[in-house]
Amino acid sequence: MHVNCVGAIILDGAGRLLLIRRGHPPGEGLWSIPGGRVEAGESDAAALRREVMEETGLVVTVGPLVGAVERQGPAGTVYVIRDYLSTVDAGTLTPGDDAAAARWCAPADLALLPLTDGLLDALTSWDVL
């Protein structure tokens, strides 16, 4: 079964990447970009705005698609994740929903964090960092 998901690649003025620490499976305890499942009838942009608001308290404008990855989930599930550049319009960074924590991270510090599988490779191959 394929599950459509989206992720937000959000950089601040200093070039730091917005990360959340996942509070639930899959990837519980690992750091990743904000995002999640696309609900039935929802566009990628609407899903991304909802997920970012729920996980970080931030309002974003969704920009262009940067890339897509597939990740194996439990019981044969395949998460199809489309990642979009996004910019913050409003809000105060506050972790919520399934995000246990949220922070801005300098690219050089990414290798020091326990990241979700393949995140750093994908961001590097897409020339985001």
Side-chain angles (χ1 to χ4, degrees):
M1 175 177 76
H2 284 78
V3 177
N4 286 317
C5 300
V6 289
I9 299 169
I10 303 170
L11 298 167
D12 69 4
R16 297 177 304 168
L17 180 68
L18 179 61
L19 295 176
I20 57 111
R21 190 173 69 229
R22 300 193 56 81
H24 302 288
E28 183 174 4
L30 299 177
W31 290 90
S32 190
I33 58 175
R37 293 175 190 234
V38 177
E39 301 296 338
E42 200 173 35
S43 69
D44 280 7
L48 200 55
R49 285 189 298 269
R50 175 183 52 76
E51 287 286 348
V52 171
M53 172 57 80
E54 289 173 359
E55 294 181 348
T56 69
L58 300 174
V59 176
V60 297
T61 295
V62 179
L65 176 68
V66 174
V69 295
E70 290 187 0
R71 295 289 178 251
Q72 291 299 121
T77 299
V78 177
Y79 296 104
V80 180
I81 308 164
R82 292 177 295 281
D83 292 331
Y84 294 83
L85 280 178
S86 301
T87 55
V88 175
D89 294 328
T92 301
L93 184 58
T94 308
D97 193 36
D98 71 343
R103 66 175 280 196
W104 294 99
C105 187
D109 295 334
L110 290 173
L112 305 176
L113 293 174
L115 301 175
T116 53
D117 244 5
L119 177 64
L120 187 56
D121 290 340
L123 294 175
T124 302
S125 71
W126 297 336
D127 291 326
V128 172
L129 303 174

